[in-house]
Amino acid sequence: MIEFGLLGPLSVRTERGDVRLGGARQRSTLAILLLNAGQVVSVERLADDLYSGDAPATAVAQVQRQISDLRKALGAEARVETSPPGYVLRLDAHELDITRFERLLAQGTEALNRGDAASARSIFEEALALWRGRPLADLAGFGFAQAAAGRLEELRLVAVERRLQAELALGRHAEVVPTLEELTAEEPLREGLTGLLMLALYRSGRQADALAAYRALRTRLSTELGLEPAPELRSLETAILRQDTTLAAASLVEAESIVLAATREETASPALLALARMRDTIVVRIERDEAALTHAAAALEEQRRTLGATARAAAFVSADWALDLVRTARTHDASLVLVDARVDELTAAVGLAVVALVDGSPADVGLLIRGDQGLAGPDVYVPFGGGEHDWAALEVAAALAAVNGFSLKLVGTASAPHLGRRDASRLLADAALAVQRAIGVSSTPILTPAVPDAVVAVVEPATIVVAGFASRWRTDGLGPMRAALAVDARPPVLFVHRGPSPGLLSPRETRTRFTWTLQN
């Protein structure tokens, strides 16, 4: 094992510890070869770089001596090969920190471009952790080192900018403002950083400060360079002045959000596990009998492996599964709690434990009916009436559609004769625009008569139906429409109850709300 480091003072490390190198020219020889790893570097170029363009008559002999001494210093790890007209250093990709950094930068950029902000942030942080200071800091007097350091510092700033982009996508606006203010003070002409600062300030409720940051950059560009800000930055200023809604923080599928999927004394259904793949996942299995715990934990571990590396799983014994599930959701800051449920727990015989779960959960709760069927098909249907629980259901459905590539279909009915179908279609349009803004998922509107049989027929092709249910369900029942979905519909149905935290899609004030009831 050998590791070469240029992202800071030059370093060489093996499993036996740091390799002691000679003077500045020996270190420079290695640095030049590392910067050109896998490529032949001529003796003339080495001499020119080592002596800053003023090589003595003995330069060739001096280079040969440096190579010889370098091979001795590296010992068995020496990879320096003679290859006319010079030398080449052979490395594996993981042995040089610059190569690892550039690979991570590309991976993080790819994750950011596909909308996985949490993974992107983690990758960029891993890349930036490779830095130990200014590149080649101990060789700053050499021209080649200054040029290389400038290029690498630019790449570091790119990684920093993109990490901050990921932070903004994850809603950490106020947290990144101090960092951005410090960076823009250090790099006052870097428009990308100023743009991020403007957006972070605006999303933190500091519109005036965001505009002031723009004006400061514009003044500096005009005074020092006679330039105007780039078109993208001018467009951002205009959007801030207009308070454009597209500037609002919007990231529906956040990988750091936690889905807590729970199963009671049995294996989690295939549909429950498919739903749990939407975000980072904790799967718990709750047993009543202590003797069943070891077997339950082993079965759960098998399921956890199917969910991927970020999934966690645990089994425990409880005499009050709902209370302990609420406790687990609070402890791990879950954003969604999913439970396999029975039809009778949502219809005539409402279970007290389910009521306790819904009332006590710190997060949205999804109760899954017929999850044993799995998710076989391309369409997610959402009966949408505009209530706060319908918005929560839409959020879950949109996340499911985005992660799995499903199509999203919004089902609306005329909930009262005087409202008419036109109002229902307008409500579906509002919901469609909200989903597009938040995650870029398009949806198809479907209008159907306000008759339970009609709704059941419309959702027949669904992979899964995701529907909201209100708090009055415990006293008034689900209502005819949702009861029909629970009892008569063919596909699995996920009933979603909004938790105490505001959803990402739900408007601050719901101006129009439809209820699913039958009218005479």
Side-chain angles (χ1 to χ4, degrees):
M1 185 275 294
I2 187 169
E3 293 180 352
F4 296 94
L6 295 178
L7 301 179
L10 174 67
S11 67
V12 183
R13 174 171 295 181
T14 71
E15 63 269 19
R16 295 183 299 277
D18 292 336
V19 175
R20 296 185 63 181
L21 299 172
R25 287 205 168 90
Q26 184 185 115
R27 299 173 69 84
S28 294
T29 301
L30 176 57
I32 295 166
L33 293 173
L34 286 170
L35 289 168
N36 298 275
Q39 302 176 33
V40 176
V41 182
S42 69
V43 173
E44 287 75 13
R45 180 181 170 185
L46 281 166
D48 192 57
D49 285 345
L50 287 175
Y51 292 95
S52 301
D54 188 24
T58 60
V60 172
Q62 294 287 343
V63 168
Q64 292 172 339
R65 184 173 66 80
Q66 295 297 343
I67 293 292
S68 176
D69 291 345
L70 185 60
R71 285 169 170 161
K72 291 177 183 177
L74 295 177
E77 287 78 20
R79 314 287 182 87
V80 183
E81 300 176 3
T82 302
S83 181
Y87 304 93
V88 60
L89 181 62
R90 305 291 183 188
L91 291 182
D92 292 333
H94 66 276
E95 293 177 332
L96 179 60
D97 58 359
I98 292 177
T99 307
R100 297 201 304 275
F101 171 76
E102 291 177 333
R103 184 182 70 250
L104 289 168
L105 178 58
Q107 291 174 351
T109 302
E110 180 184 355
L112 191 61
N113 290 340
R114 69 170 183 264
D116 189 353
S119 293
R121 178 180 65 179
S122 177
I123 294 169
F124 289 133
E125 286 177 346
E126 183 180 353
L128 292 167
L130 294 172
W131 286 70
R132 297 170 288 110
R134 181 168 174 79
L136 299 166
D138 54 333
L139 302 174
F142 291 84
F144 81 88
Q146 294 172 13
R151 182 185 74 85
L152 292 170
E153 282 286 359
E154 173 61 26
L155 288 178
R156 184 187 69 83
L157 279 173
V158 169
V160 169
E161 283 189 23
R162 292 177 185 172
R163 179 182 65 80
L164 290 166
Q165 281 182 260
E167 296 278 13
L168 284 173
L170 292 169
R172 295 175 54 82
H173 324 304
E175 291 87 345
V176 302
V177 165
T179 301
L180 282 165
E181 288 177 333
E182 181 179 346
L183 287 170
T184 52
E186 295 172 358
E187 300 285 340
L189 297 179
R190 196 173 185 90
E191 295 181 58
L193 288 172
T194 297
L196 292 176
L197 176 60
M198 291 167 62
L199 188 58
L201 288 167
Y202 178 77
R203 289 181 176 177
S204 301
R206 297 170 60 183
Q207 181 179 356
D209 292 336
L211 294 171
Y214 174 81
R215 289 193 296 271
L217 173 66
R218 183 181 182 186
T219 299
R220 188 178 289 272
L221 284 172
S222 176
T223 301
E224 298 185 14
L225 302 174
L227 297 175
E228 284 289 315
E232 295 82 3
L233 212 60
R234 297 201 301 270
S235 297
L236 178 58
E237 183 214 19
T238 302
I240 290 173
L241 287 168
R242 291 166 45 198
Q243 297 186 348
D244 196 317
T245 57
T246 61
L247 297 180
S251 178
L252 181 59
V253 184
E254 297 182 19
E256 68 175 4
S257 297
I258 295 174
V259 170
L260 178 60
T263 178
R264 294 169 282 166
E265 300 182 279
E266 58 187 16
T267 302
S269 71
L272 185 74
L273 291 177
L275 288 166
R277 290 189 182 95
M278 289 187 296
R279 305 170 186 169
D280 278 2
T281 304
I282 297 174
V283 184
V284 298
R285 180 163 169 175
I286 306 169
E287 295 287 338
R288 292 184 183 179
D289 186 358
E290 293 181 356
L293 183 61
T294 301
H295 173 75
L300 191 59
E301 176 60 20
E302 291 275 339
Q303 291 186 319
R304 185 195 67 80
R305 285 197 287 265
T306 69
L307 292 173
T310 61
R312 293 173 280 166
F316 60 86
V317 178
S318 174
D320 189 336
W321 68 268
L323 179 64
D324 280 326
L325 189 54
V326 167
R327 176 190 58 78
T328 305
R330 292 186 185 279
T331 299
H332 297 281
D333 198 22
S335 60
L336 176 64
V337 178
L338 298 173
V339 181
D340 276 316
R342 303 185 308 271
V343 172
D344 63 1
E345 290 179 312
L346 278 164
T347 54
V350 175
L352 293 177
V354 173
V355 173
L357 170 63
V358 171
D359 286 349
S361 173
D364 293 353
V365 174
L367 302 176
L368 180 63
I369 307 296
R370 291 184 293 277
D372 57 326
Q373 297 181 19
L375 301 185
D379 300 324
V380 181
Y381 282 64
V382 182
F384 190 77
E388 59 181 355
H389 302 286
D390 292 336
W391 284 105
L394 177 59
E395 182 175 327
V396 173
L400 180 63
V403 170
N404 294 280
F406 295 155
S407 62
L408 184 64
K409 299 186 182 298
L410 305 182
V411 180
T413 69
S415 57
H418 69 281
L419 290 174
R421 182 163 295 180
R422 181 180 177 187
D423 292 275
S425 69
R426 187 184 302 129
L427 179 64
L428 296 188
D430 288 342
L433 291 172
V435 170
Q436 289 175 40
R437 181 197 67 202
I439 195 172
V441 171
S442 297
S443 59
T444 302
I446 300 174
L447 295 174
T448 184
V451 178
D453 289 347
V455 176
V456 170
V458 163
V459 303
E460 172 67 22
T463 300
I464 187 171
V465 179
V466 185
F469 70 102
S471 300
R472 64 177 181 274
W473 133 85
R474 65 177 62 80
T475 55
D476 299 343
L478 289 173
M481 296 291 188
R482 287 172 174 77
L485 289 173
V487 176
D488 300 326
R490 178 202 59 80
V493 181
L494 181 70
F495 287 101
V496 177
H497 186 279
R498 176 178 160 179
S501 299
L504 291 172
L505 289 180
S506 181
R508 296 297 180 211
E509 295 180 4
T510 304
R511 295 183 295 275
T512 305
R513 181 170 300 173
F514 292 86
T515 56
W516 286 63
T517 58
L518 284 174
Q519 302 293 327
N520 295 325

